[in-house]
Amino acid sequence: MEKLCIICREESDNFSDEHVIPDALGGYYHIYTVCKKCNSDLGSSVDAKLVNHQFAEFQRYLLSLTGKSKKLPNPFSGTHHLSEDTSKKIQLRLDEEGKPVPYTITNVSYEESENEGSGTKVSICIDASDEKKLDGILKKIANKLQVPIEQFEGIDRSVQKIEKPNIKCSLSIDLAEFKIGLLKIAYEFSVDTVEGYFSDRLAIEISKILKNAEYDSVENFVSIGSGFDHEIFDGMRDYLDLESKKHYLVIVGSQARGLVCLVHLHGMFSVGVCLSNSPYPDSLAVIGVNDIEQRSFRKIYPEQLLKEVFAPPELRFQYYFPTEYAAQEFLDMQASDKFGFHSTETGTTPVFDRQGKLLSSDLYSKMKESEHLVTSEALDGGGIVHKFPIQDELFIKILPSGKLVQVIAVREELRQIAKL
């Protein structure tokens, strides 16, 4: 059965496994809504800009992320030189264990003698590992100088060993084109997650940018931060374990500001992508967690976030007592080992009117009615405190006496126990 590809927006029955976060970066988020041709094109013109970025190569090296090639990238590739002798050209190659090893590039220099008839002085600098190649190099030099090879017999050979060479490297850093890879991640995550986003006017525009690899148009959308501003996620550090080997994708909707996706690739990039200026529900929030070590990806919604990050909420009540005697009586009951609150079998707290008649709403329903009046603050030791003023006159039942006490506010404490 044919369906629309989310990149070219044409019907196809030939779809392939698309990594939203590239496989080479430790991505384990798969979708199957990109046709085979677009998948291939994205790999070469979009993902490659991200995967082969200098910062990405360093992180792939540190995390031993080989990707489909099964080959560890060498972020130190290129030609460098010794700081104390710029004529000595050096490469940093990876050994079998993936450790960088200096390699001296063969260099042959010629110097004509100032004394007439004294010939040409030849200096050869090779890496110690290439010593077996020296005879072949000498033959080439002899041919070039048109002298017999025997003339090089007894050549002075010396080995120079530098224990800790100071190697000067030059790096070329892309500051713009890699962002198309971040735009692709945000777009695919949103199409896969937010109902109706595929038909959004700006979603259509983004899919064209990705299909045609329009690098110059990317920053119209990847506009929050430079791509390297990890401070974008500072407000979420209490809940996201940004030091762990995980990538995070965060979608946030807003009636006023539209749809935004924040992308954090561990140790590499952090950016905000403005995906739409159309109104989306303020309640829309989804976190994607890509765990590199566990080789997994999952989406987490607000209710699940609360369950995983916080302990079950603790409720503390603010009471109203008509007299000092009533207040003291309550304190005496509270001091008892048997003190408690009446609750249902499901764990909810029923509420009553002044005459002790059970109300149809439970305590949480009454708290929800005053959400617009809630005040919040940080909880010592990590967590959040919400204070709900109770607008209606309601009572809860004290155990074991069964007496009613009036509640005028509820303090809900959410103590943090983990990070995503």
Side-chain angles (χ1 to χ4, degrees):
M1 180 179 177
E2 292 192 342
K3 58 182 180 180
L4 289 180
C5 167
I6 65 170
I7 300 299
C8 66
R9 295 179 175 263
E10 295 178 2
E11 289 188 347
S12 175
D13 58 1
N14 190 10
F15 289 82
S16 57
D17 180 8
E18 160 70 349
H19 286 73
V20 176
I21 300 172
D23 178 37
L25 300 183
Y28 295 97
Y29 180 13
H30 304 263
I31 60 174
Y32 299 88
T33 50
V34 177
C35 72
K36 194 169 184 179
K37 182 181 184 307
C38 285
N39 198 337
S40 176
D41 292 343
L42 288 175
S44 58
S45 61
V46 174
D47 288 343
K49 294 293 183 180
L50 195 61
V51 169
N52 298 326
H53 191 280
Q54 192 73 48
F55 285 7
E57 286 200 338
F58 272 113
Q59 198 62 22
R60 290 175 61 199
Y61 171 77
L62 293 172
L63 298 176
S64 299
L65 299 175
T66 58
K68 294 177 181 177
S69 69
K70 305 301 179 185
K71 184 179 179 182
L72 191 66
N74 182 1
F76 314 103
S77 61
T79 301
H80 317 298
H81 59 263
L82 293 176
S83 295
E84 57 271 20
D85 185 355
T86 57
S87 67
K88 298 287 193 305
K89 294 183 179 180
I90 304 293
Q91 289 179 341
L92 288 171
R93 298 180 174 181
L94 302 184
D95 63 14
E96 293 181 356
E97 296 179 354
K99 296 179 180 179
V101 177
Y103 172 83
T104 302
I105 298 175
T106 299
N107 180 55
V108 180
S109 60
Y110 303 88
E111 182 181 348
E112 295 293 335
S113 175
E114 294 181 358
N115 299 322
E116 187 176 349
S118 296
T120 302
K121 180 181 179 182
V122 180
S123 298
I124 307 171
C125 179
I126 63 172
D127 192 81
S129 64
D130 288 338
E131 188 174 3
K132 292 181 180 179
K133 300 178 182 179
L134 183 57
D135 290 339
I137 295 172
L138 291 175
K139 287 180 181 179
K140 291 181 180 179
I141 294 173
N143 290 335
K144 180 175 181 177
L145 298 178
Q146 296 182 345
V147 296
I149 185 64
E150 290 77 16
Q151 194 165 326
F152 291 105
E153 291 180 359
I155 188 172
D156 180 28
R157 303 188 185 194
S158 62
V159 177
Q160 181 182 14
K161 185 175 182 180
I162 304 175
E163 291 292 344
K164 295 181 179 180
N166 187 3
I167 299 172
K168 189 172 183 179
C169 304
S170 297
L171 301 178
S172 177
I173 306 294
D174 166 31
L175 298 178
E177 291 188 353
F178 76 97
K179 294 180 182 178
I180 197 169
L182 301 174
L183 177 62
K184 187 214 79 165
I185 291 171
Y187 169 77
E188 290 183 345
F189 179 44
S190 299
V191 169
D192 187 52
T193 304
V194 181
E195 185 177 357
Y197 176 66
F198 180 64
S199 302
D200 190 291
R201 178 180 62 84
L202 293 188
I204 296 172
E205 187 174 339
I206 291 172
S207 63
K208 291 179 180 177
I209 291 172
L210 296 175
K211 181 180 184 299
N212 300 320
E214 299 173 11
Y215 305 113
D216 292 340
S217 301
V218 169
E219 291 194 354
N220 294 332
F221 300 92
V222 185
S223 55
I224 303 174
S226 65
F228 312 105
D229 299 328
H230 300 305
E231 296 82 3
I232 290 172
F233 278 79
D234 280 353
M236 289 173 271
R237 286 187 179 275
D238 288 342
Y239 315 114
L240 304 183
D241 190 1
L242 297 175
E243 306 307 318
S244 65
K245 296 175 182 178
K246 297 174 184 175
H247 304 313
Y248 292 98
L249 311 177
V250 181
I251 289 176
V252 180
S254 169
Q255 288 284 344
R257 293 181 294 276
L259 190 67
V260 171
C261 181
L262 303 180
V263 179
H264 174 81
L265 301 185
H266 174 68
M268 292 174 271
F269 312 106
S270 292
V271 77
V273 182
C274 297
L275 293 164
S276 176
N277 51 23
S278 299
Y280 282 82
D282 292 326
S283 59
L284 174 59
V286 186
I287 299 174
V289 181
N290 185 104
D291 193 318
I292 297 173
E293 292 184 321
Q294 296 299 320
R295 299 171 177 262
S296 65
F297 179 86
R298 61 193 182 116
K299 295 178 184 178
I300 298 174
Y301 295 84
E303 288 185 2
Q304 187 178 355
L305 170 70
L306 292 175
K307 291 179 181 179
E308 293 194 24
V309 173
F310 299 102
E314 296 180 14
L315 301 183
R316 302 184 187 278
F317 305 115
Q318 183 177 346
Y319 307 100
Y320 169 75
F321 299 104
T323 65
E324 288 187 13
Y325 174 79
Q328 185 59 52
E329 184 182 32
F330 173 80
L331 291 175
D332 293 340
M333 288 188 292
Q334 194 176 38
S336 169
D337 293 339
K338 297 180 180 180
F339 177 84
F341 301 102
H342 178 59
S343 62
T344 65
E345 292 181 357
T346 59
T348 60
T349 302
V351 291
F352 305 84
D353 65 12
R354 181 178 292 274
Q355 283 72 41
K357 180 182 177 181
L358 180 65
L359 301 179
S360 58
S361 300
D362 62 16
L363 182 61
Y364 267 107
S365 298
K366 290 296 183 182
M367 291 165 60
K368 193 171 182 64
E369 290 175 5
S370 62
E371 276 185 333
H372 60 292
L373 300 173
V374 170
T375 57
S376 302
E377 60 185 39
L379 185 64
D380 291 342
I384 306 173
V385 175
H386 302 303
K387 187 173 181 181
F388 295 81
I390 302 300
Q391 296 175 285
D392 298 334
E393 184 182 66
L394 59 84
F395 297 77
I396 58 175
K397 189 175 289 187
I398 300 297
L399 297 178
S401 67
K403 289 193 173 183
L404 298 175
V405 291
Q406 185 177 353
V407 175
I408 59 174
V410 179
R411 176 184 168 97
E412 181 186 50
E413 295 184 358
L414 297 171
R415 193 166 297 279
Q416 186 172 348
I417 56 173
K419 291 184 178 183
L420 293 179

